[in-house]
């Protein structure tokens, strides 16, 4: 379908140009394209003014060498000295950790005027894609027809780890990751430059970086200055190193040129980044599972937990701060899930996919060879989702028990670590392998700091109440007695009161103990964690079995779909480097409403109420009143633009991605999608899939004019803040 | 200012046309113009294709002879046989009263295929403006310098009644009303044809007529089919008569031609109608009183009463129905008030008016003659609002006591009727004069039907609780003892339980009693009403005193403002016939949002959830699915338009007004304003003041195609429903 659309677009473009029309009618294309696809996209016909090899060149240096992955986000190098621009929400943890009561960087913002003032961001890593190699044959060679589905999954997992270890040995200093591109079908080994000394350079106050808060999250119009600057450092010899005052700024092979003039409506734009996860190749049965089972359950569970945390925080600001990160994270997913349910209900995505599957099934049935090879493929997939649907009420709530109750989560992880760390490295679950262990341990020590026992009591009690009405839960060893307690609240209270699992000291010491030692502790919640552990392992194995079943069936499905549709497909997003393109363009979400593609400083001031989440710092209001706009007024708008909208195909992980103009220059920093575009994860639509970025002019105005970061503008080669 | 703008507009138009540009940039003008102003408006330069005398001709028949006032709304004659189109919400009472459990016209809608099937609408009257005469001199002749302000007001009231009675004597069959145009300054005697036999002809189901309910009230985009058809009848000799089966359809001197092709974006439109009340000439001190005192108090009191009624209705559908009209009415005002507060907070209307007043004061001070004549004018006005602000907490709550508690309101009115009806006719308050008495009595008998004692208990208790914290309330005879009761809820309960004031039988009999007889009744709530009565009379007299003070000062203010600004002004709306013009045009309420001027049937279907208030009747959905659109598709939209937006200057009372194209043909029926335009009452703005009408194509499609009212389309001269 995509290829056909591509041909049609070229036709439209040609006719449009011949007729002297403007190319405004060109539609963007669905797709988060791997770099290997770049050559066949013909982006120059759509507006790109670079040759494909200027974007990506396996034999040399190109634009992608200036793009990096910053933890789960994307960033761009914007100077030869390793300066990175990304989102405020991507730098959030670093800003929060560097803040103290006396020096609240979240509230006040932060600007380093010299390298020595930059603040280390512990836990932050950065990677740059250096090369990739198809290792599908090597991975799939370990699969034998006799294997159980669980063993199939485990064998593939192990082979991927082996390939990674081998690649890292032959490429010292680089990080290797084998990514699954098409489920059960294609595996690519990526090699990354991997840096571990990342520092905070500039963050605007949270009133700018998270302006609008949860109200405006996933919404347009938007006035959020969701950007921050960081810097990557290496050892003096250029090698990757942990933080040291002796380290020096990293010199990227390439950096992205900032375009201080910004973009205009209908401009061609493209994005390079690391989108996390999509499900475009999943079946209609998967969509129905999401729409009817999983997403509604998430909305229900998360809305309840958010309400509990808000209620607890309403009485005590210090409690609210403890819950802030978790509330924000759940609220983000809860709202996205609501958007996805609404999108699936309002569109015909599921019905359309089912229709394609019916046609495919008829095509398969029409030939005996095809029938014997693929006759049951769709049915096998549907059966997995049917199993998951039948088990959902128990599985979702049982898993959530360990997520909602933080102490139980911490205790379980400490116990699992003891079990896993005792195994040979390659046999461990990934978080407990030596190459990941330090990061896992650090995360546990950070998580435990936010523990608030009264909230945890409410969470545990609430989950027990939910599980008490599910018969399968009553058969789980460890839950049987607990769920038959006449007073679940009291039971939860006594467990939380008696446990040490939420204490930092316990995590420290517990991580040094073996499983048997942990089992001897007189801690009732740890005992519960250990009792429940076999059931969680059983569910994990069940997941691997389902993964194995799906891997084989989806691998077949993509083969027969390719044959049937005579088309090639783009793999679903999997946190590897992708390109997507589109146009700066508004949209019409409902009858009689048109959303324009730019918001402005004037709109920001009008939206400012002085109350959360619509507070604007006095420095911004003062510069607005005195008309200090530098060179950053968009002529057509007569205003400094704040945020912009464009029709690219993005998802989570594209946070912080550069929004690039036709010449590959930075005109914005991507940070969100519209509410209607939350269903990008399932399907993209030219009419309403829109991504949201901070306009580069707002980035430069805030940084240079309002907060005096002339040093940074100079470093980026931008002049004229006055 | 307006005149200058007018000149500027002509300039823009001329330049625009010379440059070959479209006249799209013409702005509408602020103004609900009296017909006397028509000549100087130069509407033909703005787009009108009629000569002024084709719109209004004191010596002959013109378009205004086809416009009527239907109770508090406006309507248009659309056939030579007295067929009227107005709003569903204007016909609502008639539809509701004609409904029974067996034959629910609200739910099902109603179509009369023949005159004999049309349903009488008791309580409905209709008037047509026949002529007007300036009687300012005759009215103000009764004012003497020695008079107290209260006496001044009373003398003017009496003179107005005398002039009305005299005019009705010399013009038998016509109704006379003296309207105050400029406060304390200008009085116009209007003569009206006055008809009393009005009947219901066609109403769509409420699911169409109130689609969107309170959610969508004051909002755009809108998909409400807020229209209905009625018909006026006269005695066989053409004279005004009460309902009789012998009556015949009224033959208006003129009717409005329906334009089935509708209008397009940027078309010139104008509206004739009876806008109720604006405050464009009030001072900044008045605006502050509204913004800071009266409107917030209204929002607080009404939101509470709405919540009480909703809570009571949630448990019992029959209770909800009893409260429906009152809830709807309060919700309408509550939301409008919120819109007005928001508008006053977000705009500079108050500050701008204060700035003009400062300039005016400086102009007055610059000349000793002006200073002695007008030096204290603004200060006198400000002092009245300062008094009102100081007294507001008591006065607003004390008045609301009698409004929130229906039984107390009914008892008080019965008692007041006894007191007033004992006076000579000209000395009575207007509702108790012979010419109005029958209508007042009918209204009481209707009001009493919706009495629900448990709600009234909550209302009375709530108001007593509010008054208990106001020291002035504790000094009111009758409240002293009551407010010191230790249990206000119990006190309210015992009053409501023991009273007959909410019983229809009591109203019937009570209205026949004298004041002394009522005072003998063993009814504790009637006793309370009688005890409170002197205080209410005192407040009424205080109002008259304030009115007198304001009348003199505002009369002076308008004189000096005219001199200062060298401009003429348009009087505030006062429920007399006015013209306003504008363009079919969208607007931008906030940054990056543009609201287009048409909604469509497609949008209606998309908004339809199947749950209140977004239910669409099966007949509509079926015609949508089968594509039966008659001739009513707008070519540019490719859809049947549902509602439209235009930049005219309207307010309450313009409900049901015809929206007319440049040739004076009907292209829509006005029914609302946007949320931003709720502050039209204080100031109109070309950027965001937009009114909302049902598109004539939707009216015709629903009436003719969906519900088979071909007879009505034929009567209006519209062909081609297929």
């Amino acid at each position: 379908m995509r290829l056909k659309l591509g041909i049609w677009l070229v036709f439209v473009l040609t006719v449009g140009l011949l007729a002297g029309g403007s190319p405004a009618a060109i539609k963007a294309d669905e797709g988060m394209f791997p770099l290997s696809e770049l050559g066949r996209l013909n982006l120059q016909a759509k507006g790109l003014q670079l040759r494909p090899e200027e974007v990506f060149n396996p034999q040399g240096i190109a634009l992608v060498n200036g793009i990096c992955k910053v933890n789960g986000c994307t960033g761009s190098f914007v100077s030869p000295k390793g300066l990175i621009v990304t989102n405020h929400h991507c730098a959030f943890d670093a800003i929060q950790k560097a803040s103290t009561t006396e020096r609240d960087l979240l509230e006040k913002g932060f600007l380093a005027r010299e390298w020595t003032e930059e603040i280390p961001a512990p836990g932050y890593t950065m990677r740059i894609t250096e090369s990739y190699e198809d290792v599908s044959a090597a991975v799939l060679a370990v699969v034998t027809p006799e294997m159980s589905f669980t063993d199939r999954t485990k064998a593939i997992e192990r082979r991927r780890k082996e390939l990674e270890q081998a690649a890292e040995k032959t490429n010292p200093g680089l990080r290797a990751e084998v990514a699954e591109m098409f489920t059960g079908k294609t595996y690519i080994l990526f090699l990354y430059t991997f840096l571990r000394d990342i520092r905070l350079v500039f963050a605007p106050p949270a009133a700018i970086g998270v302006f609008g808060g949860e109200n405006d999250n996933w919404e347009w119009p938007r006035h959020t200055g969701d950007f921050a600057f960081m810097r990557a450092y290496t050892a003096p010899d250029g090698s990757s190193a942990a933080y040291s005052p002796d380290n020096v700024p990293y010199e990227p092979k390439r950096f992205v040129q900032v375009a201080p003039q910004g973009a205009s409506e209908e401009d061609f734009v493209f994005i390079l980044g690391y989108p996390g996860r999509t499900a475009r190749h999943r079946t209609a049965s998967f969509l129905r599972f999401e729409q009817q089972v999983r997403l509604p359950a998430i909305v229900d569970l998360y809305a309840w937990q958010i309400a509990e945390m808000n209620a607890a925080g309403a009485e005590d600001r210090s409690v609210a701060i403890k819950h802030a990160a978790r509330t924000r994270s759940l609220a983000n997913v809860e709202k996205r899930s609501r958007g996805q349910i609404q999108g699936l209900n309002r569109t015909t995505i599921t019905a359309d996919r089912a229709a394609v599957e019916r046609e495919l099934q008829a095509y398969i049935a029409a030939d005996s060879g095809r029938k014997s090879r693929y006759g049951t493929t769709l049915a096998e997939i549907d059966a997995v989702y049917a199993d998951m649907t039948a088990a959902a009420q128990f599985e979702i709530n049982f898993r959530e028990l360990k997520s909602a109750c933080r102490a139980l989560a911490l205790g379980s992880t400490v116990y699992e670590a003891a079990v896993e760390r005792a195994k040979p490295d390659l046999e461990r679950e990934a978080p407990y392998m030596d190459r990941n262990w330090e990061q896992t341990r650090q995360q546990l020590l950070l998580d435990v700091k936010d523990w608030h026992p009264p909230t945890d009591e409410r969470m545990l009690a609430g989950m027990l109440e939910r599980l008490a009405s599910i018969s399968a839960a009553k058969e789980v060893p460890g839950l049987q007695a607990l769920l038959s307690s006449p007073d679940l609240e009291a039971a939860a209270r006594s467990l939380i009161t008696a446990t040490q699992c939420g204490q930092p000291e316990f995590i420290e010491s517990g991580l040094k103990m073996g499983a048997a030692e942990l089992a001897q502790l007189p801690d009732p919640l740890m005992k519960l964690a250990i009792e429940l552990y076999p059931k969680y392992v059983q569910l994990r194995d069940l997941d691997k079995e389902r993964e194995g079943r799906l891997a084989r069936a989806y691998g077949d499905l993509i083969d027969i779909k390719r044959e049937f549709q005579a088309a090639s497909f783009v793999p679903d997003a999997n946190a590897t480097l992708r390109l997507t393109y589109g146009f700066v363009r508004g949209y019409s979400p409902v009858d009689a409403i048109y959303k324009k593609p730019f918001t402005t400083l004037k709109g920001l001031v009008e939206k400012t109420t002085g109350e959360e989440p619509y507070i604007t710092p006095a420095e911004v209001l003062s510069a607005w009143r005195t008309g200090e706009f530098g060179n950053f007024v968009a002529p057509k708008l007569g205003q400094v633009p704040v945020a912009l909208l464009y029709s690219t195909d993005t998802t989570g992980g594209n946070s912080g991605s550069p929004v690039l103009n036709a010449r590959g220059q930075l005109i914005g920093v991507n940070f969100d999608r519209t509410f209607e575009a939350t269903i990008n994860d399932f399907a993209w639509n030219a009419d309403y899939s829109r991504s949201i970025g901070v306009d580069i002019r707002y980035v430069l105005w805030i940084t240079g004019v309002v907060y005096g970061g002339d040093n940074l503008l100079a470093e980026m080669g931008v002049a004229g803040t006055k």
Side-chain angles (χ1 to χ4, degrees), chain A residues 60 65 134 185 198 223 251 260 356 404 421 435 448 471 479 494 540 576 593 626 655 691 713:
Chain A
N65 296 104
D134 191 321
K185 191 85 203 154
I198 313 298
H223 298 82
E251 298 191 357
V356 168
R421 297 279 296 160
R435 63 204 294 262
V448 75
S471 56
L479 282 184
S494 82
R540 195 175 73 201
T576 61
I593 294 286
T626 53
S655 281
S691 304
L713 269 58

Side-chain angles (χ1 to χ4, degrees), chain A residues 336-352:
Chain A
R336 185 186 67 204
S337 302
R338 275 192 284 121
Q340 291 175 330
I341 294 169
Q342 176 187 302
L344 289 170
N345 288 341
R346 284 196 188 166
T347 63
T348 56
I349 292 172
T350 309
D352 293 349

Side-chain angles (χ1 to χ4, degrees), chain A residues 463-477:
Chain A
M463 286 312 307
L464 292 179
E465 275 155 24
R466 281 171 156 77
L467 288 162
S469 67
I470 301 171
S471 56
K474 293 182 199 149
E475 290 158 24
V476 176

